[in-house]
Amino acid sequence: MEVKMSKKCDNTSVAIIVGDRAGKILLIERKKYNPGFALPAGHEDGDGAEAAAKKELFEEVGLNALIMNLVLIKNLKNPCKRDGGNYHVWVVFVAQKWEGEVKKSDEEVKSFIWADEKKVLDLARKLEKFIEENKLSTYDLPALVKATNESEGWKKNPGLEPSMYVLF
């Protein structure tokens, strides 16, 4: 019997903000770890931040980023399912110019939405309600991530993914 080793975390993650002409941003609902709505995102995995962001955008939603601007670098104590993944340096880009039509990854993406500011705030409030009901804190991302991953109610009707809440 072959034993699969978990992939090692490189502790570097990228995210990309894609906007439309109506001022909405693209959010995906993750199918796997960590349930919730998020920007297209993933690990750098040695690709470099910009290349990784372009790769994740294409893998998750089928879009090509043509021009990107770096908007944020932030260190978060957010865990991941990979070995050694107890923090991430997040590098966030805005796609100034992109092409293609959204085609969600069947493997990684449950759904996607074009969210205006009100929708993003509604998703954030849903996480805030979850935090309050479960006596958690955004300052303890490991506990919050664990709780959202274990909650069947959250998985069925999630709000903003915890790390995205902090990044936003």
Side-chain angles (χ1 to χ4, degrees), residues 102-128:
V102 178
K103 295 179 205 108
K104 69 178 185 67
S105 161
D106 288 336
E107 186 179 317
E108 297 182 55
V109 179
K110 192 182 224 180
S111 68
F112 70 90
I113 57 173
W114 288 97
D116 60 13
E117 185 177 351
K118 181 187 178 313
K119 181 63 176 175
V120 173
L121 288 172
D122 289 345
L123 292 169
R125 285 187 192 104
K126 194 177 280 192
L127 180 64
E128 290 166 350

Side-chain angles (χ1 to χ4, degrees), residues 9-156:
C9 182
D10 64 359
N11 302 109
T12 56
S13 292
V14 295
I16 189 162
I17 301 166
V18 177
D20 70 4
R21 292 174 195 225
K24 297 178 180 180
I25 62 169
L26 179 63
L27 295 177
I28 62 168
E29 181 184 1
R30 295 202 182 284
K31 211 176 222 185
K32 301 177 182 178
Y33 187 97
N34 190 34
F37 283 90
L39 297 169
H43 286 87
E44 265 188 44
D45 288 333
D47 291 328
E50 188 169 332
K54 287 180 178 183
K55 183 172 98 179
E56 288 295 333
L57 184 66
F58 186 76
E59 284 177 1
E60 292 183 354
V61 294
L63 298 178
N64 292 307
L66 303 173
I67 300 172
M68 298 193 327
N69 291 332
L70 175 67
V71 292
L72 178 69
I73 298 175
K74 187 167 182 76
N75 192 344
L76 293 182
K77 284 186 128 182
N78 69 301
C80 78
K81 63 184 175 191
R82 294 180 178 186
D83 290 340
N86 56 4
Y87 76 93
H88 291 87
V89 176
W90 279 90
V91 181
V92 182
F93 294 92
V94 171
Q96 292 299 117
K97 186 174 180 184
W98 55 273
E99 66 182 9
E101 289 185 36
V102 178
K103 295 179 205 108
K104 69 178 185 67
S105 161
D106 288 336
E107 186 179 317
E108 297 182 55
V109 179
K110 192 182 224 180
S111 68
F112 70 90
I113 57 173
W114 288 97
D116 60 13
E117 185 177 351
K118 181 187 178 313
K119 181 63 176 175
V120 173
L121 288 172
D122 289 345
L123 292 169
R125 285 187 192 104
K126 194 177 280 192
L127 180 64
E128 290 166 350
K129 184 177 178 188
F130 182 88
I131 289 167
E132 184 179 319
E133 289 172 352
N134 292 279
K135 297 178 179 34
L136 297 164
S137 168
T138 55
Y139 295 107
D140 187 356
L141 274 177
L144 181 53
V145 168
K146 183 178 189 296
T148 56
N149 273 286
E150 292 175 353
S151 170
E152 290 305 316
W154 180 261
K155 290 176 189 175
K156 288 179 185 162

